[in-house]
Structure formats: structure tokens, C-alpha cells
Amino acid sequence: MKKSSARRTRLYRPTERNLAFLARRLRAGELVGVPTETVYGLAGNALDEAACRQIFRVKGRPSNDPLIVHIHSLRQLTELCVANPAALRLAEAFWPGPLTMVLPKKAAIPDLVTAGKKSVAVRMPRHPAFRKLLRLAGIPLAAPSANPFGYISPTTAAHVADGLGGKVGHILDGGAARIGVESTIVDLRDPARPRLLRPGAVSAAEISQILRKPVISKRLLAAPGAQVAPGLLARHYSPRTPVILHDEITSTAASDEAFVFLRQPARHKGENVFWLDPRGKLRGVARRLFATLRDVDQRNFRRIHIERATGEGLADAINDRLRRAAAR
Ligand code: TXA
Ligand code: MG
């Protein structure tokens, strides 16, 4: 944490007393950095336009990029949006958890939150401390990832303090995020045609199995002739150092460049060699991805080489973040 900001940004352990205090801060319209199972969020009262305006300002986020609203109960879901039976089935299967649903919004949600859209993105997170905070606050919380716009998402309270220290007064420290990549986003406005807007830990195959119909994925949307949703291909989650993707890294000879393997390599050693999971397991890769990118980004290498994941489900989510980190 920067010294100048250390005086103004406080980290809180999730004790009953701290959670009650932070819930009061949120109800009073202040922002709190919060842990979730995916990445840390920058939370504010979703029903309070001034608090939400503050979220955009602190993050440096363009006002045309809508926020996700986090809820504690299904009662809140029906207060905020029009939940169709497909949404309720997915909620039963995956909530609380890393799934966000886009549904027609109700008037309770300020237009600012949804960037003027008639739909709202809603998620019921699983992290126990965040769930307690949501219950104590008794209000839905709008929360984008707690990083300056465009930079790598935070997976620890220290990451939040690094990026937003001095700009946000309170950060709830709930430990390192268990999943490490942002939630899956599925567009359910038309329940007959569910669309995957962002891959995450809940896979398109799992959603499709619950709904008993195919989920239109980004890959299909990006097929020739298909319309690509705006923002899907944007550069995002990006280190300052240029990133280059590989199916397999074969040489680490360039000592001023970093090489990030999926698994600990047997043949490559050195200060420029990194890996995401000892055995290359996808859950470990996802969990360590953003923290590793941040760490390597701070070491002033000329370029960062990194291996793509193979497989489906979580591999799709990892490769999506890698593609955006590498986009120029
Ligand atoms: O795991 C997560 O989802 C994390 C944690 C904090 O919950 N949040 C997160 O929020 O990743 P954010 O703001 O970084 O990404 C939310 C994405 C944005 O790209 C936005 O475009 C999309 O959700 N989104 C929000 N509302 C939408 C809507 N009504 N229609 C389509 N996309 C929407
Ligand atoms: Mg984000």
C-alpha cells in the first residue's frame, strides 16, 4: 500500500463488530471494498444513485459500462428484476455462487447502475463474509471488480489497496479469492435463447444442462456474420507489460522477458520463469492467474509470455482473460 494512502484506507477482519460497522457505512452511502469468491468488488448501495456514481468515479469506469448488483436473497431478486422460471432454475442450481444473470430490470434500480439499459445483471455471491455483510446491510450492493478500470482484477485485499488505496475508505479482508476469475454472465432476458456474455467458473455446458437447451456462446456470437456484443472484445484485465500468448513455451532464453507456464516446468529455471499451478490444475491456474500477472507486471520485464489453458469450462474463462490481457 502507498504510504500516503495508508492513513486513509483501512482493512477490516470479518469480525461481527467490523461487519456491523461496514454495513452501517454502506447504508450511509459509503463504498467498501469487499471479498467475493471470484474477485474483490467495490461495493455501494445499489438503490442509492449518489453511491453508485461514486463507484464509477473511484474506478475511473466509463458510465456506459453497467454494474453487477449483488443480493442476499431471492426476495431481493424479485424486487429488482423480472425473474423468469429459467432464471429461478439457475438460481437454485448455482446460487450462491459465481453466476450472474442479466434480466429485465424493475424501477427500484437507478438507470445509472445499468448504464441506461432496461436490463440488470444480478448475482448472489457465496463468500461467507460478503454474504453476512449483505444480510446485515439489508440492501442490494452494486459492485464492479475493485480495480482501476482496465487493469487486472484484484484477488486479495492488498490488491484493492494497491489500486484504490486512498480512494476507498474501507476494505473488508476476506482472504484470497477462492476462484480467482470473475463470474459467468448469462443473458436470460429471453429465456428461450440464453446467451453467455462472459465465461467463468460455471460453464456453458452446466447452464445448458439445467435449462435443457443450448446456450449461445461468445464463440458462436463471434462467428462470421454474427453480431459481436460491444465490449466483449475490448482490451481489459491488462498488465502494463505487453503480454504474448503461446500454446506451449519452449524457450526461456530471453532473460529480460518473463515466461509464465501453466505448470511448474521441469526443464526451465531462472528468475524469469513463473508458473500458475504446481501441476497445471485449472482451478489452481484460475486462482493464481491475476495475482501472478500483477506480480510479474511489477518486475519490469520487457514482455510477458504466457501459456494458454487447454480444455473447456474453466479453461474458457482463463483463456478469455488471457486474450483480453494480450489485446493491444
Ligand atoms: O465476479 C464478478 O462478477 C465480480 C464480483 C465483484 O462480483 N464483478 C465483476 O464486475 O466482474 P465488473 O463490473 O468488473 O464486470 C461486470 C460486467 C461488465 O463487463 C458489464 O458490461 C456486464 O457485467 N454487465 C453488467 N450489467 C449488464 C447488463 N445489464 N447487460 C449486459 N452486461 C452487463
Ligand atoms: Mg471488471
Side-chain angles (χ1 to χ4, degrees):
M1 204 196 301
K2 284 183 219 100
K3 212 172 168 215
S4 61
S5 57
R7 265 173 281 140
R8 289 156 65 193
T9 301
R10 278 198 58 186
L11 268 62
Y12 299 79
R13 307 291 310 159
T15 61
E16 295 297 328
R17 196 160 159 240
N18 285 343
L19 289 168
F21 170 76
L22 293 174
R24 286 197 301 277
R25 299 331 312 150
L26 286 162
R27 292 184 66 88
E30 291 179 32
L31 305 189
V32 176
V34 295
T36 91
E37 68 276 25
T38 56
V39 301
Y40 272 68
L42 175 63
N45 182 355
L47 308 178
D48 174 348
E49 201 171 310
C52 295
R53 188 165 295 119
Q54 185 73 358
I55 294 175
F56 282 93
R57 193 174 320 132
V58 165
K59 233 188 108 88
R61 184 183 182 106
S63 59
N64 64 359
D65 196 358
L67 306 177
I68 294 179
V69 177
H70 297 73
I71 58 173
H72 181 265
S73 67
L74 286 180
R75 184 179 50 72
Q76 283 177 321
L77 178 72
T78 50
E79 279 166 15
L80 304 176
C81 61
V82 185
N84 49 52
L88 294 176
R89 281 217 297 285
L90 290 185
E92 193 181 338
F94 301 112
W95 279 359
L99 177 73
T100 297
M101 298 193 247
V102 173
L103 291 162
K105 89 182 218 16
K106 287 190 179 167
I109 295 284
D111 288 337
L112 185 79
V113 170
T114 64
K117 284 172 179 284
K118 294 199 173 79
S119 59
V120 61
V122 189
R123 156 163 128 82
M124 190 188 288
R126 187 171 203 100
H127 191 290
F130 189 25
R131 266 187 76 68
K132 270 192 196 160
L133 185 62
L134 277 163
R135 181 171 53 75
L136 291 170
I139 44 176
L141 296 175
S145 52
N147 49 304
F149 183 72
Y151 196 62
I152 305 162
S153 296
T155 54
T156 67
H159 293 165
V160 180
D162 276 346
L164 303 179
K167 293 183 182 165
V168 54
H170 322 285
I171 302 171
L172 175 59
D173 186 352
R178 190 171 52 79
I179 293 174
V181 292
E182 299 83 351
S183 61
T184 304
I185 305 182
V186 63
D187 180 354
L188 276 180
R189 285 171 307 164
D190 177 359
R193 299 181 74 245
R195 302 195 321 161
L196 189 75
L197 299 183
R198 180 174 72 184
V202 174
S203 71
E206 288 174 290
I207 295 171
S208 160
Q209 198 185 358
I210 298 294
L211 297 182
R212 296 205 198 89
K213 54 172 67 84
V215 174
I216 303 163
S217 77
K218 233 167 34 169
R219 214 167 284 147
L220 291 176
L221 291 173
Q227 204 196 336
V228 179
L232 284 185
L233 302 175
R235 172 174 165 81
H236 215 60
Y237 313 111
S238 306
R240 289 174 198 95
T241 319
V243 172
I244 295 151
L245 304 185
H246 300 268
D247 287 329
E248 192 186 354
I249 292 171
T250 51
S251 164
T252 61
S255 62
D256 58 347
E257 305 195 4
F259 296 87
V260 183
F261 292 81
L262 294 173
R263 67 173 66 206
Q264 183 171 12
R267 289 200 308 278
H268 303 280
K269 294 204 163 57
E271 306 231 311
N272 64 337
V273 174
F274 305 85
W275 58 89
L276 293 164
D277 182 77
R279 290 188 293 155
K281 294 227 186 248
L282 286 180
R283 278 166 183 260
V285 168
R287 191 179 298 138
R288 295 284 315 148
L289 179 65
F290 288 150
T292 304
L293 280 177
R294 273 174 186 265
D295 174 35
V296 177
D297 195 27
Q298 277 161 20
R299 295 175 189 242
N300 296 317
F301 287 105
R302 214 163 58 76
R303 302 197 288 183
I304 302 171
H305 300 271
I306 182 161
E307 288 183 333
R308 286 187 195 91
T310 53
E312 308 215 316
L314 202 47
D316 283 337
I318 293 163
N319 289 335
D320 170 76
R321 306 318 186 266
L322 287 178
R323 263 195 308 278
R324 296 192 207 205
R328 291 268 88 197

